[in-house]
Amino acid sequence: MSDLQPVASRTAPPLVRAPARTSASEVRMETVEVSAMYGKFTAVKEVSLRFAANRVHALIGPSGCGKSTFLRALNRMHELSEHGWITGRVLLDGQDIYGSRVNAMQLRRRVGMVFQRPTPFPTMSIYDNVAAGLRVHGRHRRAELDTVVEQSLQQAALWDEVKERLRASAMTLSGGQQQRLCIARTVAPSPDVVLLDEPTASLDPQSTQRIEELLFELKRDYTIVIVTHNMQQAARVSDTTSFFYMGTMVESGPTRQIFTTPADEQTEAYITGRFG
Amino acid sequence: MTAITERKLARPADRSPLDHASYGDRIFRGLLTLGAVTIPLLLGFLVLELWQGARLAMGKFGLGFVTNSVWDPVAVQFGAFPLIFGTLLSSLIALAIAVPLSLGVAIFLTEFSPEGLRQPVAFLIGLLAAIPSVVYGLWGIFVLIPALRTTAFPLLREVLGFLPLFRGPIYGPSMLAAGIILAIMVMPYVMSVSREVLLAVPDTQREAALALGATRWEAVITAVVPYARSGIIGAVILGLGRALGETMAVTMLIGNRHEIAASLFAPGYTMAAAIANEFSEAVGDVHLSALAYVAFLLFVVTVLVNAGARLLIWRVARGSAAGGKAL
Ligand SMILES: Nc1ncnc2c1ncn2[C@@H]1O[C@H](COP(=O)(O)OP(=O)(O)OP(=O)(O)O)[C@@H](O)[C@H]1O
Ligand SMILES: [Mg+2]
């Protein structure tokens, strides 16, 4: 946490928003030979990938192969890790997010993240949790917050369960509900890209299924990148799948193709469960 | 009934070799229980003793002792109101100064300071807690009071003189001087406990806030401090407990006068200081008994303040299951 690299001051000009969301196959985010290091250790080696708008892109691979590290390079969270640094370029709508004029705080508003374990703010109510991201960015108007909170909870398929008790503590929710609350919190500032790092790893099968269904809804509005350990999940929810192995991206392609006719031996070995 | 007796009878038969270990266990448990029982017993004796000593004064002055402001050993008239007032006020001043500063330092150390600075600074602050209070008192007399009298107090009077709190003659020894020395003495405790509590906040909370686009500072305000809040209140209570009972340094700086003044520049007195000062030279049984009564009241005030604070923590922690654990 300590070695925060200098980031552009908050007064730096905001990232330019793309004019409009157009055709579905448009590339929203792209990495160009991204390597991510912890000090001298290279966790991710020269990964180049494209993330299309309104698609779910799954990252799979054995434990420790660098999926989380790569994901965290996409919203500049990696640089908050101790001794974390990266090389290469990450483009969001064509603009390099590591460019000197880019404000990391503004960027993270456009590239939201959901973690493996639900991380609601325990002292806040359900409402305040969803509104937290907006308040951080100085949006305090009651009417506006009300609308966005309702919309976000609806998007996260949680509204019907909590609409009667928005003022209750977030800790009164079940684990699965808490994770959907975190999804609502992430989409509330209306990001372009939503990153999910094994969002169902700590959940029961039912909650997992709800979140998988939710991804189909969410991809209508967002570009989604999801890390998962669960092969079936990747096969069910994603349009594109990339297989990571020991820090490198081995193979990437349409999910159906990766799971039926993988080009690489390692990929095949992994998806058929021979290792990992 | 029969089932129980049967089971009892059956016991020796199925005794395993593991049972031998339980003798040591039992002795250990016995010792611990003894220790645990001793504490309430001691407390009981203490209260009883104070009560015995204070009986005479209690009989003579009753509950009026608490609200009466006259303290005149010659006329054998005693009232503890200025002492209670002084104890509470000096502690309040101490907290008002110490809490923001300690919290600021704790937040800086856990969230912002470079790695290499954290341990040394925390260690130094820990050392501050080890300095005996007479030393603080001496430092107060020789360094703090002159500085306050010549610079800080006149400046305060100039700027905030429109408040009755900062009006009137400046002597040096005063309620404010005592509050300041108390603040300095209490800071290490509040600082190190809140530091521990902040360190216990999981990184996932910080990251959750940062991932929303919060700055480091916003993450501290929205995620870290709220998560730790009941622990922080605990730290403040610890500091308050120290301030209420502190004797030596306070008596050296507060001016030791049984008076209630609106001005913080005026001298005052605290319960602990009065007991320490007057006990050895008390004239007559009633005076002695009045001091025991004061001691009893100090005990009551401390218990009340702590109980109130516990209640506060409990109410705060109820809303945050996780936050409460930090304590
Ligand atoms: N904070 C850190 N400091 C140093 N090395 C780290 C750190 N975090 C991760 N690593 C290392 O980087 C490599 C990639 O880790 P990463 O967490 O990205 O793997 P992953 O693919 O997400 O694994 P998993 O599936 O278990 O979550 C691992 O070898 C790990 O030990
Ligand atoms: Mg991971």
Side-chain angles (χ1 to χ4, degrees), chain A residues 60-65 67 228-231 243-245 266-276:
Chain A
I60 60 170
S63 184
C65 67
K67 306 178 297 288
T228 175
H229 259 136
N230 180 331
M231 287 310 108
F243 172 63
F244 279 63
Y245 185 59
Q266 286 167 325
T267 316
E268 187 176 357
Y270 182 69
I271 58 171
T272 53
R274 269 184 277 145
F275 71 86

Side-chain angles (χ1 to χ4, degrees), chain A residues 63-69 72 116 197-198 227 229:
Chain A
S63 184
C65 67
K67 306 178 297 288
S68 299
T69 307
R72 290 163 59 90
Q116 175 171 345
D197 193 351
E198 300 186 43
V227 169
H229 259 136

Side-chain angles (χ1 to χ4, degrees), chain B residues 146-170:
Chain B
L148 291 177
R149 191 175 45 219
T150 53
T151 4
F153 283 1
L155 194 75
L156 266 179
R157 189 163 57 181
E158 194 105 321
V159 180
L160 295 171
F162 60 91
L163 294 169
L165 288 178
F166 301 103
R167 262 185 229 154
I170 291 168

Side-chain angles (χ1 to χ4, degrees), chain A residues 1-3, chain B residues 102-115 117-119 121-122 191-201 203 206 216-217 220 224-225 228 232:
Chain A
M1 289 293 292
S2 65
D3 283 10
Chain B
S102 325
L103 258 187
V105 175
I107 290 175
F108 171 74
L109 283 182
T110 52
E111 312 291 327
F112 297 100
S113 93
E115 197 70 46
L117 207 63
R118 293 178 188 197
Q119 286 304 323
V121 173
M191 205 294 304
S192 48
V193 175
S194 14
R195 181 173 154 272
E196 297 290 327
V197 170
L198 291 174
L199 279 177
V201 175
D203 266 347
R206 294 182 180 88
R216 301 289 293 275
W217 179 245
V220 168
V224 179
V225 170
I232 290 173

Side-chain angles (χ1 to χ4, degrees), chain A residues 5 50 53 62 111 151 159 189 194 227 231:
Chain A
Q5 288 176 354
R50 291 173 163 200
V111 185
Q151 268 174 9
W159 175 252
V194 176
V227 169
M231 287 310 108

Side-chain angles (χ1 to χ4, degrees), chain A residues 1 10 72 120 122-123 137, chain B residues 205 207 210 212 216 218 226-227:
Chain A
M1 289 293 292
R10 298 204 76 182
R72 290 163 59 90
T123 59
H137 291 284
Chain B
Q205 287 287 313
E207 295 207 327
L210 292 170
L212 286 174
R216 301 289 293 275
E218 286 163 344
Y227 191 94

Side-chain angles (χ1 to χ4, degrees), chain B residues 118-164:
Chain B
R118 293 178 188 197
Q119 286 304 323
V121 173
F123 175 74
L124 281 180
I125 292 174
L127 274 189
L128 284 182
I131 298 175
S133 62
V134 210
V135 177
Y136 276 106
L138 280 179
W139 179 80
I141 288 175
F142 291 119
V143 183
L144 183 65
I145 293 243
L148 291 177
R149 191 175 45 219
T150 53
T151 4
F153 283 1
L155 194 75
L156 266 179
R157 189 163 57 181
E158 194 105 321
V159 180
L160 295 171
F162 60 91
L163 294 169

